[in-house]
Amino acid sequence: MRKLGLGTLRRIVLLIFFALFVAITLRWISLERWRWTLTHAEEIETASPSPTAAPSAAATRPPTISGKFDVSRLFNGITLRSEVETTSGAAASEERIDPMSYAIDLKLRARVPTPNRTVDELGKVSPDLGKLLPGLATMAKPEAVSPLFAQLYETKVRELRENLSRLDLLLSRHNFYDCQTVLALRHPETKRRALLFQADMDVDADGSDGDRVPAGNGVSPTFKPFTSFRWGKKSNRPNPYLPGIEDRLRRVELEQRTATPERKRDLKNAATELRDEIGAMKKYSYLIGTYDPFIVVPASFTKGSDAAHVGDYAVVIAGSTIYPAMVGDVGPNDRVGEASLRIAKEVNGLSNPNNRPISELKATYIVFNGTADSSWGSLDLEKLQARCEALVKEIGGASVPLHHWVNTVPPLPTPTPTPTPSPTPSISPTPSASPSPTPMFSETPSPTSPPLIHPTFAFPTPSPSATF
């Protein structure tokens, strides 16, 4: 029994060793197979095309050192060429702490455009321009190019450099190439000065005036109830957007009570800005983009010897029509080409704050420098017509009549008179004749009284930077 038990124990031990050997062998084979598969897959991924492969369209692309080559288009129209380049380095523990071992180099190439200088060059995008304004031929000369054009593109390039690390903030291709030329004109006989610039046409729907339109009509996500052209209020009718801004101020002040110190600083600045806006809206009236024909100029265009100032009279040429207008607002330094919704709708009936009427550089804006009136008020369309016609004659005249604007501001609602007690010949002692309470205004209009008008104080959707 003892010998039998010892032999059995030996066999059991040998069997265990054999099983371990088999397990180790199988594990080694499995690991080797996994390494081979991984290595083979990497070789397939990084393998270069076979020299005998048939030529394709990709063969015309610039050669790359290593990695993949990709051509795609960003949302803002910038062509992006990406390339991965690898080199041999030191140990991973050393490369990990070196910031230059894993880096991206960004290089944006932008061609700065050359301004058009003559009527023939302007006619390439606006064929009717020379016919509509014959006097331009004597004023549009190469030496008439304004320094404002160079300043505009210097601003654009500077912003590209400042925002290069934020591709989402870069100017789109459309907005970088939004100006064809800027010419400082001067008629040789009348000496009338004018600033001409050719661009596309974006839409400005800003502005409000409770004296004329007590109901809000802001429909743009970037709507602002202000314009640079403003004048003192003439009535006690409040601005329709005032309640919305006052409500925002109350919410900001309420949040200040429980906000963190860092957040309180931002809220304090926001509250100060909102109080300033409330004060201005109580004191001033503004142009209304929906009803008033005006244009917007970059802030950089309001400085220098060729400057266009708020209140100056202007004309806009789109197609074969000349529209009287005025400079009513000032926009960013890096954008050109914007007109009020009233003009945009006349140019293209499908226009709205999010749909520009002219995307090509086919809109011509002419501002008559130094023609702003000494006192400002709501836009008088007949006066605008007469002044623009006279100014156009001073630069050689027009071959077609200027467009005639019609006042589209809706009439103010007829105020419901306050009921006053009327004398009665006698007082009836009958108990059933006791007066019953009646509302001062009736929700149901009667044939003898005007209907009750509920003004809609629609506050526009605030921009992200103004949301609290």
Side-chain angles (χ1 to χ4, degrees):
M1 292 292 295
R2 184 174 300 173
K3 291 182 178 180
L4 183 61
L6 183 59
T8 302
L9 181 61
R10 289 175 179 172
R11 285 192 293 271
I12 291 174
V13 172
L14 289 174
L15 183 61
I16 292 174
F17 275 110
F18 180 78
L20 289 174
F21 175 79
V22 172
I24 292 172
T25 303
L26 292 175
R27 178 60 176 168
W28 176 80
I29 293 173
S30 176
L31 289 175
E32 288 297 315
R33 182 177 296 174
W34 176 78
R35 290 193 184 98
W36 180 88
T37 301
L38 181 61
T39 304
H40 186 65
E42 291 177 348
E43 290 175 353
I44 293 176
E45 182 179 1
T46 59
S48 58
S50 173
T52 60
S56 62
T60 59
R61 296 176 178 175
T64 59
I65 298 176
S66 63
K68 296 181 178 180
F69 184 85
D70 178 38
V71 175
S72 61
R73 301 187 70 81
L74 297 175
F75 71 95
N76 51 10
I78 299 176
T79 300
L80 174 65
R81 304 198 310 173
S82 60
E83 176 183 321
V84 177
E85 178 180 347
T86 59
T87 58
S88 299
S93 58
E94 298 178 17
E95 298 293 2
R96 173 180 284 188
I97 60 177
D98 184 355
M100 298 308 296
S101 64
Y102 201 68
I104 295 178
D105 295 326
L106 287 178
K107 181 179 181 180
L108 174 62
R109 290 183 294 272
R111 297 175 185 167
V112 177
T114 301
N116 285 352
R117 303 169 184 271
T118 65
V119 173
D120 291 339
E121 291 178 349
L122 296 176
K124 293 179 181 178
V125 292
S126 299
D128 296 331
L129 187 59
K131 299 176 184 178
L132 294 173
L133 299 173
L136 287 181
T138 62
M139 296 184 291
K141 304 293 183 181
E143 60 271 16
V145 175
S146 171
L148 295 175
F149 183 86
Q151 294 174 16
L152 171 68
Y153 275 92
E154 286 173 2
T155 301
K156 292 175 181 286
V157 172
R158 182 175 65 252
E159 292 188 0
L160 290 180
R161 292 193 176 103
E162 293 174 352
N163 297 325
L164 187 55
S165 60
R166 287 289 306 274
L167 295 181
D168 57 320
L169 297 181
L170 291 179
L171 280 173
S172 67
R173 180 190 296 269
H174 177 93
N175 286 328
F176 186 79
Y177 298 107
D178 64 358
C179 184
Q180 189 81 351
T181 191
V182 182
L183 301 178
L185 305 177
R186 185 181 180 90
H187 195 272
E189 297 177 3
T190 65
K191 309 304 179 184
R192 165 56 60 192
R193 296 172 56 244
L195 184 71
L196 179 150
F197 52 95
Q198 219 173 26
D200 56 9
M201 184 182 291
D202 292 329
V203 180
D204 185 353
D206 292 347
S208 59
D209 179 7
D211 292 349
R212 292 185 292 160
V213 183
N217 62 343
V219 292
S220 170
T222 59
F223 174 85
K224 299 294 182 185
F226 314 98
T227 59
S228 301
F229 189 96
R230 67 182 188 180
W231 61 94
K233 282 184 61 63
K234 307 298 183 182
S235 76
N236 58 0
R237 286 186 288 270
N239 189 295
Y241 300 100
L242 186 60
I245 295 184
E246 290 175 335
D247 181 64
R248 288 170 58 196
L249 177 59
R250 285 191 292 269
R251 287 187 279 115
V252 168
E253 291 174 339
L254 182 62
E255 186 181 350
Q256 280 182 302
R257 301 175 185 176
T258 57
T260 61
E262 294 79 7
R263 178 63 174 161
K264 280 185 177 180
R265 286 194 294 268
D266 295 336
L267 293 173
K268 181 179 178 181
N269 294 333
T272 300
E273 182 178 349
L274 290 172
R275 292 190 188 99
D276 291 341
E277 291 181 0
I278 290 172
M281 295 174 72
K282 289 181 177 180
K283 185 177 180 181
Y284 298 106
S285 290
Y286 305 89
L287 296 174
I288 305 176
T290 305
Y291 304 109
D292 295 323
F294 64 86
I295 65 172
V296 183
V297 298
S300 58
F301 280 25
T302 62
K303 303 173 184 178
S305 58
D306 302 332
H309 297 291
V310 174
D312 282 347
Y313 289 91
V315 292
V316 180
I317 298 95
S320 58
T321 307
I322 304 175
Y323 300 92
M326 69 175 302
V327 178
D329 211 351
V330 174
N333 287 327
D334 60 349
R335 311 285 175 88
V336 180
E338 190 173 4
S340 66
L341 183 59
R342 178 70 192 276
I343 296 178
K345 280 284 189 182
E346 198 67 34
V347 173
N348 184 341
L350 300 178
S351 300
N352 59 53
N354 301 312
N355 184 31
R356 65 177 64 91
I358 303 176
S359 293
E360 299 83 5
L361 306 182
K362 294 185 177 182
T364 302
Y365 306 82
I366 300 179
V367 179
F368 299 101
N369 316 71
T371 58
D373 296 328
S374 57
S375 61
W376 293 354
S378 59
L379 202 55
D380 184 336
L381 295 179
E382 295 302 323
K383 178 181 178 180
L384 175 70
Q385 184 85 21
R387 288 287 288 131
C388 288
E389 287 177 349
L391 291 168
V392 168
K393 288 181 180 179
E394 294 183 13
I395 60 170
S399 61
V400 297
L402 272 61
H403 175 81
H404 185 267
W405 295 109
V406 177
N407 185 17
T408 58
V409 176
L412 291 171
T414 303
T416 304
T418 304
T420 56
S422 58
T424 57
S426 62
I427 301 177
S428 173
T430 306
S432 60
S434 59
S436 60
T438 58
M440 182 174 294
F441 298 100
S442 173
E443 293 288 346
T444 304
S446 63
T448 58
S449 63
L452 177 63
I453 295 178
H454 297 281
T456 304
F457 297 108
F459 191 74
T461 304
S463 60
S465 60
T467 303
F468 299 98

